[in-house]
Amino acid sequence: MHDVVMVGAGPAALTAAIYTTREDIDTLLVEKGVVGGLAAVTDVIDNYPGFSKGVHGLELAESLREQAERFGAKIELGEVSGVHDEGELKRLETTSGDILAKAVLITTGCDYKKTGVSGEEEYYARGVHFCATCDGAFYRDKRLVVIGGGNSALQESIFLTRYATHIDLLVRSNIKASDVLQKEIQPYLDNGKITVHLGVTPKEIVGDDNGVTKVIGTSSDGKDIDFNTDGVFIFIGLKPNTAFLKNSKVKLNEQGFVITDNNLETNVKGIFAAGDVRSGATMQIASASGEGATAALKIREYLEGRLHNPKVEQLEVTP
Amino acid sequence: MVKNITIFTSDTCGYCQMVKTYLKAKGIGYKEVNLDHEPERRAEAHKLSGVLTVPVTVVTKTDDSQEVIVGYNLAKLAPAVN
Ligand SMILES: Cc1cc2nc3c(=O)[nH]c(=O)nc-3n(C[C@H](O)[C@H](O)[C@H](O)COP(=O)(O)OP(=O)(O)OC[C@H]3O[C@@H](n4cnc5c(N)ncnc54)[C@H](O)[C@@H]3O)c2cc1C
């Protein structure tokens, strides 16, 4: 049995683990993918404080992991498929058996949304991709289509210019990315490396035995347009990783994000949530880390029986 | 029995790092082919795996049979290398 089990090992959980383990709270993180979460599959992070020249996502993830492990956090590779509230104890179903914990922190973040268009499933990883830092290297000197108009779509398009000869960026309505990214992408629009097509919705991804050959898009006036390409990268937003909570008592909002109170506690006592998976999260590494730190301190109060007892003295933070 | 292991990777791929970390933790040696540094070997990775993604881990057994694992997939990687 552990004092706290964290589901996922992205920036929110790793930061929380640094705090809990420094307080001698026995902490286990269960991670099904990459330690470091989405931060580990992002090329360069320019807005995480303390790195004046930016930091590679992999490097930040590795340092967070080392820091958490230095204080005694244990990271187990596996997937959590259910969380059950058994009063004082919580039981987590995982790929390597059941784990008991006094408290649980849900930090499972989000995953990429799919378009649902024909060809997307069929050509997955054979021309249809969701991770530029993983699969971009296969598109050296090739043409690409990127679908999406938010921060990720612009950031990843810029990354992919290091490989691709040309990128068609298909945007359903208007660009919704930050001003900073819109400024960053401008030189690539000026030199013709990226062409933005506003008001184009993907209709079909077409290919042959060798992979993808074109994307058919529909313009706002209903006309079909062919975009010849060697591959498609899709960044149309994120959906929370909360399917494993389906049979739990934890309340989710309409989009499936976990609802918490100001203590980052869910409606189930002893089950907390932090980072991108939480309803109201601002989807940034700095905020995920901040929420991780807050959740850790609230978990400490919970384990000490102080969180639900307002009469007890205020929290003391170890410097 | 495993004869040798080759991992196709890229500079920026987080899942590649996970495969390498896993093998290192188990004390298992491997050869790395980084497609950012050896782009001419992309076709080889594609032919072996059938997909355009890394990591691709090729486990060659002592009888020269090969097992190819795409992505960071512990359920397949662990039995293949242990
Ligand atoms: C393309 C892209 C670029 C970005 N660039 C920036 C940037 O420049 N700056 C910035 O601040 N933010 C950026 N972000 C956002 C940032 O990556 C996230 O805000 C941050 O990673 C959230 O951290 P987290 O710990 O909440 O979740 P995540 O990083 O998503 O980590 C969650 C972890 O939980 C694991 N998990 C999920 N379900 C389970 C389960 N059932 N069992 C076990 N493990 C599970 C996942 O595998 C994952 O590793 C970017 C995001 C994307 C997609």
Side-chain angles (χ1 to χ4, degrees):
Chain A
M1 205 230 312
H2 299 275
D3 290 336
V4 60
V5 172
M6 301 180 183
V7 190
L14 290 168
T15 308
I18 293 167
Y19 277 74
T20 52
T21 48
R22 285 190 78 214
E23 300 279 346
D24 272 338
I25 295 170
D26 168 55
T27 305
L28 174 74
L29 293 80
V30 184
E31 169 57 55
K32 72 164 184 181
V34 187
V35 174
L38 281 182
V41 295
T42 299
D43 179 32
V44 177
I45 295 150
D46 254 338
N47 54 0
Y48 191 76
F51 296 91
S52 59
K53 295 183 176 68
V55 57
H56 283 283
L58 259 180
E59 202 181 314
L60 178 64
E62 196 52 22
S63 300
L64 281 170
R65 182 185 65 76
E66 272 173 23
Q67 198 175 356
E69 285 182 340
R70 175 156 69 96
F71 297 117
K74 292 180 230 63
I75 303 176
E76 193 173 294
L77 301 172
E79 181 165 356
V80 174
S81 52
V83 176
H84 304 280
D85 177 31
E86 295 179 351
E88 296 277 284
L89 288 183
K90 320 293 166 200
R91 184 169 55 81
L92 292 96
E93 285 174 53
T94 81
T95 32
S96 45
D98 284 7
I99 300 174
L100 290 176
K102 292 180 194 160
V104 171
L105 178 60
I106 299 163
T107 42
T108 44
C110 291
D111 219 338
Y112 298 106
K113 268 191 196 155
K114 303 209 163 125
T115 61
V117 302
S118 149
E120 187 181 45
E121 284 288 326
E122 188 183 348
Y123 293 105
Y124 175 65
R126 297 194 301 126
V128 175
H129 305 272
F130 296 86
C131 177
T133 54
C134 312
D135 306 338
F138 285 94
Y139 293 93
R140 198 176 289 273
D141 304 327
K142 304 260 168 116
R143 280 184 76 92
L144 283 175
V145 163
V146 171
I147 299 174
N151 285 336
S152 300
L154 265 67
Q155 197 171 348
E156 300 298 67
S157 296
I158 294 169
F159 171 78
L160 288 166
T161 57
R162 72 172 72 176
Y163 301 111
T165 50
H166 181 264
I167 294 170
D168 283 305
L169 181 61
L170 313 190
V171 184
R172 197 177 49 183
S173 52
N174 287 311
I175 300 260
K176 295 195 180 75
S178 67
D179 287 350
V180 175
L181 278 169
Q182 295 200 42
K183 262 194 202 125
E184 266 179 45
I185 207 169
Q186 194 56 47
Y188 301 93
L189 306 184
D190 294 342
N191 69 18
K193 245 201 141 173
I194 299 177
T195 309
V196 176
H197 304 272
L198 296 179
V200 175
T201 309
K203 182 181 169 188
E204 191 181 346
I205 296 167
V206 182
D208 57 23
D209 286 348
N210 296 321
V212 167
T213 53
K214 71 175 173 184
V215 174
I216 305 174
T218 308
S219 65
S220 40
D221 55 6
K223 286 200 189 99
D224 282 356
I225 313 169
D226 284 358
F227 296 93
N228 292 330
T229 187
D230 298 298
V232 195
F233 283 78
I234 299 171
F235 305 105
I236 55 163
L238 297 162
K239 61 174 175 39
N241 287 322
T242 49
F244 72 105
L245 293 171
K246 207 172 57 195
N247 297 321
S248 76
K249 294 181 202 151
V250 173
K251 262 200 197 139
L252 309 178
N253 74 7
E254 274 171 18
Q255 291 84 38
F257 289 88
V258 180
I259 298 169
T260 63
D261 62 15
N262 288 344
N263 292 323
L264 303 191
E265 192 175 30
T266 68
N267 59 308
V268 181
K269 279 193 178 141
I271 301 185
F272 297 75
D276 282 11
V277 74
R278 201 180 66 79
S279 169
T282 48
M283 308 293 195
Q284 291 295 302
I285 300 165
S287 32
S289 287
E291 288 190 12
T294 304
L297 297 172
K298 294 299 171 185
I299 286 169
R300 181 184 122 183
E301 286 183 51
Y302 171 79
L303 292 172
E304 290 172 354
R306 294 187 287 124
L307 190 66
H308 302 116
N309 185 355
K311 286 197 198 95
V312 183
E313 87 288 0
Q314 277 297 297
L315 162 85
E316 239 176 64
V317 182
T318 309
Chain B
M1 281 283 284
V2 175
K3 187 158 129 191
N4 59 56
I5 297 174
T6 303
I7 315 171
F8 292 87
T9 67
S10 78
D11 278 343
T12 50
C13 151
Y15 296 94
C16 303
Q17 194 62 36
M18 290 299 287
V19 172
K20 292 193 284 178
T21 305
Y22 175 78
L23 294 178
K24 272 184 210 149
K26 295 264 165 196
I28 301 170
Y30 59 84
K31 192 173 146 246
E32 181 174 358
V33 179
N34 183 317
L35 298 180
D36 276 320
H37 303 159
E38 298 182 68
E40 67 286 355
R41 297 190 67 177
R42 281 173 305 175
E44 190 186 334
H46 185 191
K47 197 167 163 220
L48 281 162
S49 65
V51 291
L52 296 164
T53 190
V54 282
V56 169
T57 308
V58 183
V59 182
T60 306
K61 305 281 168 69
T62 38
D63 63 1
D64 282 333
S65 64
Q66 283 189 330
E67 195 164 339
V68 178
I69 298 127
V70 175
Y72 170 64
N73 183 341
L74 258 197
K76 286 194 177 153
L77 185 66
V81 299
N82 286 313

